[in-house]
Amino acid sequence: MTGTDADTKQVHAQGRPPEPPSGSGTAKPVPPAPPARRRMPSWLAGTIGFLVGLALAAGVVFGVLSALRDDFRDAFWRVLVEGLNPFTTSEVDRSERPVLLSMKDLARFVAGEAQYEVLVDLERDVKYVPGWVAGERTVLVVNGSVEAYVDFEGLTEEAIAISDDGATVSVTLPEPELAEPRIDLDTSRALTEDRGLVDRVGDFFDTDTDARQEALAAAQDQIASAAEKSDLDERARANTVKTLEVMLSASGFDQVVVEFR
């Protein structure tokens, strides 16, 4: 094997085109080797994969939402948003069970009820001091009701008398009474609550104002007074008689006599 052939084989083994032998003419130019490919960094491939997976998951979620009904979709979206919201509030109820203090049997027949609405305007001034400095005025529209009832608890056998022929029954009842007024806080409302500067500063330390409590107490007294002056007790008396006549007549009595003492 000649020296030239050995050089040619060595060049082929190194991956380069063989050089023309010396003395064979003009040498041909050698083409440059192709550049080596650069591989994608692993962190970039991972990021692209995460974004593609997130896009697919979002597409699945929105597809499910579009397939659900409006109410289910809104509920699902609300739960999803509340779950992702870091400022979502929650309520924890640590209240204890109610404790029974007393129990009493009642035998009242409510025979009438009256509804009232009263405007209470209370103003408390401080002498020689302007109203914007000290003093307060409270105007409330208070709604309440009063029941008229007959108390059957104290009735005895002597209160009911039946005639010898069994056709007449006589019932003796106590006079109707008026219950304490009940204030309906849901329908009552405040129209004006003006306080002076000193009283407003005091509100920071005492949130339960005495003026509102006084206004509610005054409204309760006015409703009770109005019920006493009305014919609510007469209406209760008439309704009681009518009710007993229907009940006892159905029991076989021809005549029912009701007296109040």
Side-chain angles (χ1 to χ4, degrees):
M1 178 182 296
T2 62
T4 303
D5 295 335
D7 294 339
T8 302
K9 290 182 178 181
Q10 185 178 1
V11 170
H12 279 289
Q14 296 177 358
R16 296 196 302 267
E19 297 181 359
S22 58
S24 61
T26 304
K28 295 183 179 180
V30 179
R37 293 184 178 181
R38 299 182 59 185
R39 298 183 60 183
M40 182 182 298
S42 59
W43 65 268
L44 181 58
T47 302
I48 295 176
F50 173 76
L51 294 178
V52 172
L54 185 62
L56 292 177
V60 172
V61 171
F62 282 106
V64 172
L65 290 178
S66 61
L68 295 175
R69 295 182 177 179
D70 294 339
D71 50 354
F72 290 99
R73 183 170 63 251
D74 295 340
F76 181 82
W77 180 255
R78 183 168 56 254
V79 172
L80 181 62
V81 171
E82 291 179 356
L84 297 177
N85 184 10
F87 303 102
T88 302
T89 60
S90 60
E91 181 178 354
V92 179
D93 188 1
R94 295 187 177 90
S95 303
E96 297 182 359
R97 297 180 57 184
V99 178
L100 178 62
L101 299 179
S102 64
M103 185 177 296
K104 182 172 63 174
D105 295 332
L106 298 178
R108 293 181 176 181
F109 171 68
V110 179
E113 183 182 39
Q115 300 286 336
Y116 293 94
E117 182 178 88
V118 58
L119 177 66
V120 181
D121 189 346
L122 296 181
E123 184 174 0
R124 184 173 60 185
D125 298 328
V126 180
K127 193 174 182 179
Y128 305 121
V129 178
W132 62 270
V133 176
E136 55 186 337
R137 179 185 179 187
T138 303
V139 181
L140 300 179
V141 176
V142 181
N143 291 278
S145 61
V146 177
E147 293 181 347
Y149 66 92
V150 177
D151 193 357
F152 291 166
E153 185 177 2
L155 294 181
T156 60
E157 296 181 357
E158 290 76 11
I160 301 176
I162 302 176
S163 63
D164 296 336
D165 57 359
T168 304
V169 58
S170 299
V171 182
T172 304
L173 300 175
E175 290 289 341
E177 300 180 28
L178 299 181
E180 292 291 332
R182 294 185 302 178
I183 302 300
D184 189 355
L185 297 178
D186 293 334
T187 58
S188 302
R189 62 191 184 278
L191 297 182
T192 303
E193 286 185 308
D194 294 332
R195 297 181 180 88
L197 181 60
V198 176
D199 298 277
R200 292 188 180 185
V201 172
D203 290 344
F204 286 101
F205 305 96
D206 186 10
T207 57
D208 188 10
T209 60
D210 294 336
R212 181 173 297 185
Q213 297 298 326
E214 293 177 0
L216 292 176
Q220 190 173 14
D221 294 339
Q222 295 182 23
I223 291 175
S225 177
E228 291 176 357
K229 297 177 182 179
S230 66
D231 61 344
L232 183 59
D233 54 347
E234 294 293 336
R235 184 182 295 268
R237 187 180 289 106
N239 290 337
T240 303
V241 172
K242 186 183 300 183
T243 302
L244 290 179
E245 287 178 348
V246 173
M247 293 176 56
L248 297 177
S249 296
S251 300
F253 295 100
D254 297 332
Q255 186 179 2
V256 178
V257 179
V258 179
E259 296 180 355
F260 293 92
R261 293 182 182 178

